[in-house]
């Protein structure tokens, strides 16, 4: 039976040194290659980041410009809206003035044509219009015909007469018209006075008549006192 002998390799010092140098060179090459590859990758990443930052700066600048433009447009829109509202209010006021002058012209013509009207106070052109539930707009004209064409004071009282809960109820105008503080209403007129207002009737109240009383302050007895049927204009 043959015996196996261990294999023993003998290296020379020069060979071992060359081997170590080769390993060190190989490691150095690997490290150098890794360093240069990493440096190139870092440079590429840094360039990409710089490009992103430049793009972000451009977009930030555009957003800032757009925000400034939006603010300017909003201010312009607010100014235009204010101007439009002011114009609308002026138009409404002009419409009211035209309507009032038309009414005045109509009354002047009627007074010139009606030579049979007796002297004193009277009420004409009484109209009632429904705005919403329980809210009504009223329009009435006080006329006076005197031998002296001068402006005089007239005290006016108005009541709404109706029923509530099966009982008669009388409502003074100052209780249902927020613009009237107290009665009598003091009017100053030369030929006529056009009056308008809004009344809000109580819940469950059914109006039937509207009573108007007119008198000069220096006379105790009313010169005009009349009931009008409550009739809403369609």
């Amino acid at each position: 039976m043959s015996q196996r002998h261990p294999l023993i390799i003998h290296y020379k010092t020069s060979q071992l040194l060359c081997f170590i140098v080769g390993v060190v060179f190989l490691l150095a090459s690997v490290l150098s290659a890794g360093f240069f590859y990493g440096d190139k990758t870092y440079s590429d990443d840094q360039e990409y980041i710089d490009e992103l930052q430049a793009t972000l700066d451009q977009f930030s600048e555009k957003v800032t410009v757009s925000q400034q433009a939006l603010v300017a447009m909003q201010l312009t829109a607010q100014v235009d809206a204010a101007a439009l509202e002011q114009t609308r209010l002026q138009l409404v006021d002009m419409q009211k003035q035209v309507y009032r002058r038309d009414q005045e012209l109509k009354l002047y013509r009627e007074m010139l044509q009606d030579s049979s009207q007796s002297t004193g106070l009277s009420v004409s052109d009484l109209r009632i219009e429904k705005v919403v539930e329980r809210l009504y707009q009223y329009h009435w004209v006080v006329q006076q015909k005197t031998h002296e064409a001068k402006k005089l004071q007239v005290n006016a009282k108005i009541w709404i007469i109706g029923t509530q809960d099966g009982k008669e109820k009388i409502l003074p105008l100052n209780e249902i018209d927020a613009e009237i503080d107290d009665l009598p209403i003091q009017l100053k007129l030369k030929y006529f006075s056009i009056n308008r207002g809004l009344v809000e009737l109580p819940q469950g109240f059914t109006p039937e008549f509207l009573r108007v009383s007119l008198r000069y302050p220096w006379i105790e007895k009313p010169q005009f006192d009349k009931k009008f049927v409550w009739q809403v204009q369609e």
Side-chain angles (χ1 to χ4, degrees):
M1 182 176 181
S2 60
Q3 295 180 351
R4 295 182 179 181
H5 299 281
L7 180 63
I8 299 174
I9 300 175
H10 299 279
Y11 291 95
K12 294 181 180 181
T13 303
S14 58
Q15 293 176 336
L16 182 61
L17 183 60
C18 290
F19 176 75
I20 293 172
V21 171
V23 171
V24 171
F25 178 76
L26 180 62
L27 291 174
S29 299
V30 172
L31 290 174
S32 297
F35 172 78
F36 285 114
Y37 177 77
D39 184 64
K40 184 177 184 307
T41 304
Y42 173 77
S43 299
D44 293 341
D45 291 344
Q46 187 62 41
E47 184 179 355
Y48 178 68
I49 291 173
D50 292 341
E51 291 179 357
L52 288 178
Q53 185 63 44
T55 304
L56 178 62
D57 292 340
Q58 291 177 359
F59 274 105
S60 297
E61 184 177 355
K62 290 180 180 179
V63 169
T64 301
V65 173
S66 298
Q67 288 177 339
Q68 293 174 349
L70 178 61
V71 171
M73 290 177 64
Q74 289 175 338
L75 292 175
T76 302
Q78 291 176 357
V79 172
D80 291 343
L84 182 61
E85 178 63 17
Q86 183 66 26
T87 302
R88 187 188 69 82
L89 293 176
Q90 290 177 353
L91 286 175
V92 171
D93 184 63
M94 289 178 64
Q95 288 175 347
K96 289 181 179 178
Q97 292 182 18
V98 169
Y99 174 80
R100 189 176 185 88
R101 287 172 182 173
D102 286 343
Q103 293 293 308
E104 291 176 352
L105 180 60
K106 175 184 174 183
L107 289 169
Y108 277 122
R109 286 175 176 172
E110 290 178 353
M111 293 178 67
L112 288 174
Q113 293 173 359
D114 187 11
S115 59
S116 63
Q117 181 182 356
S118 59
T119 59
L121 298 171
S122 63
V123 172
S124 65
D125 199 16
L126 176 62
R127 300 196 306 271
I128 302 171
E129 299 175 358
K130 185 175 182 179
V131 180
V132 293
E133 189 65 28
R134 298 191 297 112
L135 186 65
Y136 296 86
Q137 177 177 277
Y138 63 92
H139 173 281
W140 60 299
V141 178
V142 178
Q143 291 180 289
Q144 74 166 349
K145 185 175 182 181
T146 62
H147 299 293
E148 298 180 5
K150 62 181 181 179
K151 185 174 290 188
L152 299 175
Q153 179 175 320
V154 175
N155 292 342
K157 292 183 179 181
I158 299 179
W159 303 268
I160 308 296
I161 304 172
T163 57
Q164 187 173 22
D165 298 328
K167 298 180 181 180
E168 184 183 57
K169 188 176 183 64
I170 300 176
L171 299 174
L173 187 63
N174 60 305
E175 292 184 4
I176 52 178
D177 187 337
E179 299 297 323
I180 305 298
D181 295 327
D182 197 8
L183 294 181
I185 306 169
Q186 295 182 353
L187 306 174
K188 287 187 177 181
L189 59 147
K190 187 174 183 180
Y191 298 109
F192 53 81
S193 172
I194 301 174
N195 308 282
R196 305 179 71 183
L198 286 172
V199 294
E200 183 175 3
L201 302 181
Q203 186 70 37
F205 177 80
T206 302
E208 297 177 353
F209 300 98
L210 189 146
R211 178 186 171 192
V212 182
S213 174
L214 305 173
R215 73 175 183 88
Y216 295 110
W218 58 89
I219 302 177
E220 293 185 2
K221 184 178 179 181
Q223 281 72 61
F224 180 90
D225 194 334
K226 183 178 180 179
K227 284 185 180 180
F228 297 89
V229 176
W230 181 273
Q231 185 174 1
V232 179
Q233 300 290 329
E234 297 295 337

